[in-house]
Amino acid sequence: MSTNVPAASAAPVASPARHQVVIAETGESFACASAETALNALSRSGRKGIPVGCRGGGCGVCKVQVLTGEFRTRPMSRCHVSEADEARREVLACCIYPESDVQLRVVGKMQKAIFRKP
C-alpha cells in the first residue's frame, strides 16, 4: 500500500541585509551587505585607486573612523588599531561589517585615493 507524503516545502532563504555606507568627506554612498566588509563594498563601487592592501587587517591602509551607525568587527592588527583607536571607533574597513547604515571618515593612507578627483 502506498501513501502520499507531502513533499517538504523549502524554507525561504533570507537575503542578507543591505546597508548604506557614506563617506563623510565626499558624501558618496554605496550599498554594503551585512556579510560584506566595508572595504569590499567600497572597492566594488568603481572608485579608482582604493588601496586594498592585505584585506585581512594586517597592513592598515584602509583605516577609517565610523562616525555613525553600528558594525561588527573581526580581529585587526594592534600595530595599526590600538585599543584607544578602537574606542574612538577608528578601525580597518577590511575588518568591519555594517549592521546598519554607517558614515565613515577616512583616516590615514586611504585619504589620498578618496580626495583625488575621479
Side-chain angles (χ1 to χ4, degrees), residues 30-50:
F30 49 95
C32 183
S34 58
E36 176 180 33
T37 66
L39 181 63
N40 283 346
L42 179 58
S43 64
R44 186 177 35 74
S45 74
R47 184 180 256 280
K48 301 282 189 222
I50 297 299

Side-chain angles (χ1 to χ4, degrees), residues 13-74:
V13 176
S15 61
R18 296 190 71 73
H19 307 291
Q20 288 298 309
V21 176
V22 177
I23 300 171
E25 294 91 344
T26 65
E28 294 172 86
S29 70
F30 49 95
C32 183
S34 58
E36 176 180 33
T37 66
L39 181 63
N40 283 346
L42 179 58
S43 64
R44 186 177 35 74
S45 74
R47 184 180 256 280
K48 301 282 189 222
I50 297 299
V52 293
C54 69
R55 292 187 187 251
C59 73
V61 300
C62 62
K63 195 169 189 179
V64 296
Q65 181 179 29
V66 181
L67 301 174
T68 62
E70 299 303 317
F71 59 93
R72 68 185 190 287
T73 64
R74 66 178 186 208

